[in-house]
Amino acid sequence: MTVRSLDTDVLIIGGGLAGATLAHTLATTPLSTLIVEARDPAQLEQPSFDGRATALANGSQRILTSLGLWDRIAAHAEPIRTIHISERGRFGAARIHAKEEGVAALGYTVENRILGAAIWEALAAANGFEALAPAKLVTLEVREDGVRAVVETGSFEATVRARVVVAADGANSVVRRMLDIGSREDSYEQTAVILNCTTELAHAGRAFERFTPNGPLAFLPLRDDRMAVVWTMSHEQAGRVSALDDDEIRRELQAAFGHRLGRIDRIGERVAYPLTRVRSDTVSGTRAVLIGSAAVNLHPVAGQGFNLTLRDIASLAESFTETLRADNCLDDPGAADVLQRYDDWRKRDQKKVAALTHGLIRLFGIGALPMAATRGVGLMAFDLVPGAKAELARQTMGLSGKLPRLARGLPLLPDVAAARGTRS
Ligand SMILES: Cc1cc2nc3c(=O)[nH]c(=O)nc-3n(C[C@H](O)[C@H](O)[C@H](O)COP(=O)(O)OP(=O)(O)OC[C@H]3O[C@@H](n4cnc5c(N)ncnc54)[C@H](O)[C@@H]3O)c2cc1C
């Protein structure tokens, strides 16, 4: 097999939602990037860009706009104008309205396949970027001045030298293990069954989060008056539900969701995702950063996983290029102080999002009986207390805390600095 030597600033392992978006972000800087992805990104089997839909928060839409990606996505994105939160069998509901929060939309729902196509198409036109896909990471060695990796593609073996490696290879991260970074993994003992459906009444931009005794059930508005359904239940129930025919599943879904959108009509293909909570012990190490599900894998109840990752990506790219903005001199992106800066910056947001997600699971989780009596009242009170609502809305919209430049609608680098940057 032929051997090629490759030199790059940033080596990204994993070209799913997290890795591909980071590569696209860095393509707007003088840093060179090499991405290694196990699957062919153009294939439907690609696990990150499958049949799921992602609810993108308002802040995420801003980041994608700043990155020039939103133009490729907008025509396929459905705005979320209202979020309706309720509990089956209990009085009380909460509503968050875009108008009250002073935004055009609380967020947007986009199918993952659309996101994947948009990011990889943009990458195809990017400078300073190379992809090895499909390819396999064979070894990874961390040194004082950078990392060395061996990667195999079908036709050659690459020995790669990079200043920093980014693990973006998902919840089951091989890179995390190769770097000897520990993680805590707990099964939620739940599976999310994903499907799309059409309903008798138009969704009119409404998203619904309904807490049922079996687990949370979300209906998210999609283009062409479809709804993306995320239906969480025990593994056993998911196995049974996935095997039902269209009429049977429609009846069960209708009973769980109610008639807020009238009759549930057509039901699409169902896919089951067993849910595991994964927290890496640290999101940065020597010459290494973990992003996306490799860093933290959350329950989809609040639709926060990729939204948090987008803020991480925007902040990481900003940390990598901070000295370029300040002194017009490009720092070593893998230097310990650069990675520490990133780590310190992102801790608070990462903790807050994890706490919000687990708080919802605990509050509405199966077995949370002592809290059950207060929940309906809590939801109603929450609807009446503007301060509480506004804080949750800002958090879930991705507009809380110290925001990176891209989330504030600013370019990562002024054009002049990007063009003139020199290396230290
Ligand atoms: C049911 C469900 C619904 C969700 N809904 C939302 C939502 O509404 N909003 C939201 O913000 N988030 C949502 N999320 C979370 C979101 O999907 C994840 O945050 C996101 O997929 C993480 O992307 P990732 O790139 O980190 O990991 P992955 O999607 O797992 O991608 C990892 C990539 O790495 C590649 N890879 C793996 N191992 C290797 C290797 N050794 N070498 C090279 N490549 C490798 C894989 O092929 C893949 O392309 C949801 C998650 C689930 C399960």
Side-chain angles (χ1 to χ4, degrees):
M1 194 182 272
T2 29
V3 177
R4 275 177 64 190
S5 294
L6 298 171
D7 255 297
T8 187
D9 290 315
V10 184
L11 169 64
I12 303 173
I13 310 297
L17 279 172
T21 309
L22 176 64
H24 175 79
T25 308
L26 296 180
T28 63
T29 76
L31 290 167
S32 57
T33 306
L34 173 71
I35 203 165
V36 175
E37 164 55 44
R39 310 279 189 92
D40 179 350
Q43 297 297 312
L44 288 181
E45 65 182 36
Q46 217 286 347
S48 211
F49 308 131
D50 54 17
R52 279 173 294 175
T54 294
L56 292 169
N58 185 288
S60 298
Q61 187 252 354
R62 273 198 213 163
I63 293 175
L64 294 171
T65 302
S66 304
L67 288 174
L69 285 172
W70 188 248
D71 283 350
R72 295 172 185 266
I73 295 167
H76 309 279
E78 185 66 32
I80 301 172
R81 311 241 184 246
T82 310
I83 301 176
H84 182 282
I85 308 167
S86 64
E87 188 178 7
R88 189 178 169 192
R90 274 181 194 279
F91 186 56
R95 289 167 200 81
I96 304 175
H97 297 282
K99 238 188 201 161
E100 283 175 14
E101 302 310 323
V103 289
L106 294 164
Y108 297 82
T109 322
V110 188
E111 283 146 291
N112 285 22
R113 279 196 190 109
I114 303 281
L115 286 172
I119 302 164
W120 275 92
E121 273 165 31
L123 272 175
N127 292 323
F129 161 77
E130 195 171 346
L132 301 180
K136 183 170 174 253
L137 177 69
V138 182
T139 62
L140 180 68
E141 186 195 337
V142 178
R143 298 187 184 172
E144 190 92 329
D145 62 342
V147 295
R148 307 283 182 274
V150 174
V151 177
E152 270 177 19
T153 71
S155 46
F156 63 88
E157 181 181 282
T159 57
V160 183
R161 286 158 48 101
R163 291 179 167 216
V164 62
V165 63
V166 179
D169 53 343
N172 226 344
S173 174
V174 167
V175 178
R176 195 174 59 218
R177 283 198 292 278
M178 283 179 165
L179 292 169
D180 232 354
I181 294 178
S183 62
R184 279 165 293 168
E185 300 185 16
D186 320 278
S187 168
Y188 284 109
E189 301 301 338
Q190 287 193 325
T191 289
V193 175
I194 308 298
L195 57 91
N196 291 351
C197 70
T198 58
T199 53
E200 186 184 4
L201 304 178
H203 56 59
R206 286 173 293 169
F208 298 85
E209 183 78 68
R210 188 155 171 76
F211 292 91
T212 79
N214 295 334
L217 167 63
F219 271 55
L220 302 167
L222 281 176
R223 275 280 142 128
D224 306 320
D225 249 320
R226 293 167 302 142
M227 297 301 286
V229 176
V230 184
W231 194 2
T232 315
M233 57 191 83
S234 70
H235 302 313
E236 296 72 34
Q237 284 164 331
R240 188 187 61 77
V241 162
S242 301
L244 296 177
D245 68 25
D246 282 8
D247 275 341
E248 292 166 332
I249 200 167
R250 189 169 40 224
R251 268 199 300 276
E252 294 214 10
L253 186 58
Q254 187 89 64
F257 180 66
H259 282 78
R260 286 182 178 81
L261 291 171
R263 197 183 51 246
I264 292 170
D265 289 329
R266 282 189 304 136
I267 298 264
E269 189 196 343
R270 356 333 159 174
V271 184
Y273 294 85
L275 302 175
T276 306
R277 175 187 184 185
V278 181
R279 291 160 292 169
S280 65
D281 293 348
T282 171
V283 296
S284 74
T286 310
R287 298 261 160 209
V289 183
L290 277 63
I291 62 166
S293 298
V296 55
N297 194 47
L298 297 170
H299 194 290
V301 62
Q304 290 292 303
F306 185 52
N307 289 301
L308 175 67
T309 297
L310 272 175
R311 298 196 289 282
D312 287 342
I313 288 170
S315 310
L316 182 60
E318 192 167 323
S319 305
F320 280 168
T321 51
E322 193 167 310
T323 49
L324 187 58
R325 273 185 309 277
D327 313 330
N328 205 26
C329 160
L330 191 57
D331 239 344
D332 171 358
D337 60 332
V338 172
L339 302 186
Q340 193 57 53
R341 228 171 20 233
Y342 166 73
D343 199 319
D344 292 343
W345 181 1
R346 296 304 301 152
K347 257 189 195 120
R348 195 152 170 255
D349 192 15
Q350 288 165 352
K351 273 198 177 139
K352 253 183 146 175
V353 169
L356 169 75
T357 302
H358 302 306
L360 283 173
I361 294 295
R362 266 205 314 276
L363 182 60
F364 292 99
I366 305 159
L369 289 177
M371 301 175 98
T374 56
R375 288 187 309 227
V377 178
L379 280 178
M380 218 162 48
F382 171 82
D383 203 33
L384 297 173
V385 181
K389 240 167 78 163
E391 179 49 33
L392 182 78
R394 289 194 74 71
Q395 180 68 34
T396 50
M397 282 194 293
L399 301 175
S400 176
K402 181 191 166 195
L403 293 178
R405 292 172 63 85
L406 291 168
R408 284 180 279 139
L410 299 170
L412 185 57
L413 295 173
D415 284 350
V416 181
R420 288 201 318 235
T422 53
R423 278 166 202 285
S424 55

